[in-house]
Amino acid sequence: MSSETGSSKDVSEEHLPTAQEHGTVTVADDPFADPGLPAHEPRIQDIDEKAAKRSERTVTLLFVLSSLATVGFIVSFLLIPIDKIVYIWPFGHVSGLNFALGWTLGLALFCIGAGAVHWSRTLMSDEEVPDERHQIAASPEVKAEVLAEFRAGTEESGIGFGRRKMMRNSLLGALALVPLSGVVLLRDLGPAPGDKLRHTAWDAGKRIVNENTGLPLRPEDITVGSLTQAMPEGLDLHDHDFHAQIAKAAVMLVRLEPDDIKDEQSAEWGHEGILCFSKICTHIGCPATLYERQTHHALCPCHQSTFDLADGARVLFGPAGHPLPQLRITTNDDGELVALGDFAEPPGPSFWERG
């Protein structure tokens, strides 16, 4: 027992620092001589250029497939009707458009990821090199060393301009095409407006009718200082697009003393002091029909945009960005007020293609 105890003691003491004097110990020159990393073993791609070429072709193929899948996504979005239902085993009856978009976009993203993983596992350097911790702020020597290692890693991975250009170019092509999927999806936010926001139900010769009674308006129906809400003849409350049409075509008529009208063009576009303006506020589309007789101001109750109807409906106050559009009017052979055409500019709030 004593010999075993003594032997254990000797073994333990071998791993303790040698005592020099009280409070001091001897420290080994390299306490982490073996950090536990296994010896590096080269891959077949590291020693066989043919194997490296095969890996390069595989990665290139994956990136090319990603590009083709992205093109398929865009083509599917443009050609497959949104209401097309198809039977696909084992999914059953599904939307053809959703099925095509899901598979093509999924394949595009998967091939980019798979290609990048295969590239890093077979062609990029996989040697692990230990390094001791250092201060966060690097010295110029360390910076130069890091840049040199980066350049070396770039060359080893084949991403540089010197080698494996085919693989690099296919990656750049796939990465450039994939974002187009998101751009194409923006088209699905709603139908393109085209120029329909620039046109209303007004046309040359169309009679102006009272919005409440539906009867044609005559000059004698509108007295000085009054405001009458009107709309074009032919709009039916029961039509499926009535609200879309009235939202652009609703107007208000005011009658001023001719001497009170400050804008010459506005006076020419009216008839005997009767002026016809869009009643749709140019801020967010509320009806700007609160009329103040003495000042000839029309006020929008939503955000207090104020328009001077005696001066071409220019904006006096509030967030509205431009005046209320004016409709040119006259009378027909029956003495009824009619329009001479559509508004000269789109009525209502601003929109991105207004200019």
Side-chain angles (χ1 to χ4, degrees), residues 66-124:
S66 174
S67 300
L68 294 176
T70 301
V71 173
F73 178 95
I74 298 174
V75 172
S76 299
F77 185 87
L78 297 176
L79 299 184
I80 301 178
I82 192 172
D83 56 351
K84 180 71 173 179
I85 303 298
V86 297
Y87 178 80
I88 300 178
W89 186 90
F91 303 101
H93 291 86
V94 297
S95 168
L97 179 61
N98 290 347
F99 188 85
L101 295 182
W103 275 97
T104 52
L105 182 60
L107 182 62
L109 297 176
F110 172 80
C111 287
I112 287 181
V117 171
H118 192 68
W119 186 351
S120 64
R121 292 181 65 88
T122 61
L123 295 174
M124 292 185 179

Side-chain angles (χ1 to χ4, degrees), residues 337-353:
L337 291 170
V338 297
L340 286 174
D342 203 348
F343 290 108
E345 58 180 311
S350 300
F351 53 93
W352 67 273
E353 59 175 8

Side-chain angles (χ1 to χ4, degrees), residues 7-80:
S7 176
S8 300
K9 182 177 180 181
D10 294 340
V11 172
S12 301
E13 290 178 348
E14 290 178 359
H15 298 278
L16 293 176
T18 304
Q20 302 295 322
E21 58 183 49
H22 184 68
T24 62
V25 293
T26 300
V27 181
D29 294 335
D30 187 1
F32 299 102
D34 182 6
L37 295 178
H40 176 258
E41 296 183 4
R43 301 160 302 187
I44 187 172
Q45 290 84 0
D46 298 330
I47 57 179
D48 186 354
E49 184 59 25
K50 291 184 178 180
K53 285 292 184 181
R54 286 195 298 269
S55 295
E56 180 182 359
R57 287 192 291 268
T58 301
V59 173
T60 301
L61 176 62
L62 288 170
F63 291 153
V64 171
L65 285 176
S66 174
S67 300
L68 294 176
T70 301
V71 173
F73 178 95
I74 298 174
V75 172
S76 299
F77 185 87
L78 297 176
L79 299 184
I80 301 178

Side-chain angles (χ1 to χ4, degrees), residues 133-190:
R133 295 183 180 180
H134 52 78
Q135 296 181 355
I136 296 178
S139 63
E141 293 78 10
V142 172
K143 292 180 180 179
E145 182 181 355
V146 170
L147 290 175
E149 291 177 354
F150 176 79
R151 296 190 188 97
T154 300
E155 293 299 325
E156 290 176 0
S157 65
I159 199 173
F161 288 90
R163 296 193 304 156
R164 313 197 192 284
K165 292 184 178 180
M166 179 175 63
M167 185 170 62
R168 180 204 63 204
N169 294 339
S170 61
L171 170 61
L172 296 177
L175 291 178
L177 284 175
V178 162
L180 292 180
S181 302
V183 175
V184 170
L185 287 178
L186 294 176
R187 173 64 180 81
D188 206 28
L189 294 177

